[in-house]
Amino acid sequence: MTDQNTPRLLDFIGAFATGGLLTLMVWFNGTLAVTGSLLFASWVPHVTGSLLAIIVLLAMRPKKAKPTAKVPWWAYLGGISGAVTVMLTSATMNSALAISGTIALGLAGQMVFSLVADKWGMMGLPQRNPTVRDMLALGLIMAGSVILIFFGGV
């Protein structure tokens, strides 16, 4: 019997596939920003995703859920931050930073936010203080990002 916390091969494959799709998305959005504008590059994936979600929902016809609690106001901010993220990654994609620096900055930002969320128990997560291993991983990601951004084009 395997331990619940041991990583499985499928987990690694899923993580690499997701990273590959993210890289392709940033590349496509950067191309859209060149041919159109940053706003256009943000609208295309959001409209496409919304249409696909509507089609899937219509095809699956899920049962209507009865609301048990009122949704907090901040839950609606994800769309705004997503649109701004797409616009910023599209802008940096077409600069000297290119796709590598853009992905590195995104990874660094995710790591910082995850440590903050753990520290203060945000979004219902259990509170957990960052370990030395967490801080070492963050330091390596930040160092790699700095090297990519400032010395990658040399």
Side-chain angles (χ1 to χ4, degrees):
M1 191 164 172
T2 61
D3 183 17
Q4 192 82 357
N5 294 328
T6 57
R8 298 179 308 234
L9 180 61
L10 190 58
D11 296 336
F12 286 109
I13 292 170
F16 281 113
T18 303
L21 287 174
L22 178 64
T23 304
L24 284 175
M25 182 210 66
V26 170
W27 179 53
F28 290 149
N29 290 343
T31 304
L32 286 171
V34 168
T35 60
S37 67
L38 292 179
L39 186 61
F40 178 70
S42 181
W43 275 100
V44 168
H46 285 89
V47 169
T48 306
S50 297
L51 290 175
L52 182 62
I54 290 169
I55 291 169
V56 168
L57 285 173
L58 288 174
M60 293 178 61
R61 302 227 185 245
K63 297 177 189 173
K64 280 192 173 182
K66 295 179 183 174
T68 56
K70 187 177 177 186
V71 177
W73 66 270
W74 53 264
Y76 296 101
L77 295 178
I80 295 169
S81 66
V84 171
T85 300
V86 170
M87 289 182 2
L88 291 175
T89 57
S90 298
T92 57
M93 172 61 190
N94 295 311
S95 69
L97 196 64
I99 198 163
S100 299
T102 303
I103 298 297
L105 286 176
L107 179 62
Q110 289 174 7
M111 182 76 177
V112 168
F113 181 78
S114 68
L115 291 176
V116 169
D118 282 348
K119 173 74 176 160
W120 284 289
M122 297 169 73
M123 298 177 288
L125 294 171
Q127 283 187 329
R128 180 181 79 82
N129 286 327
T131 64
V132 172
R133 182 179 175 189
D134 294 334
M135 299 312 287
L136 181 62
L138 179 61
L140 289 172
I141 290 170
M142 293 294 209
S145 297
V146 167
I147 291 169
L148 253 170
I149 293 165
F150 292 109
F151 305 109
V154 176

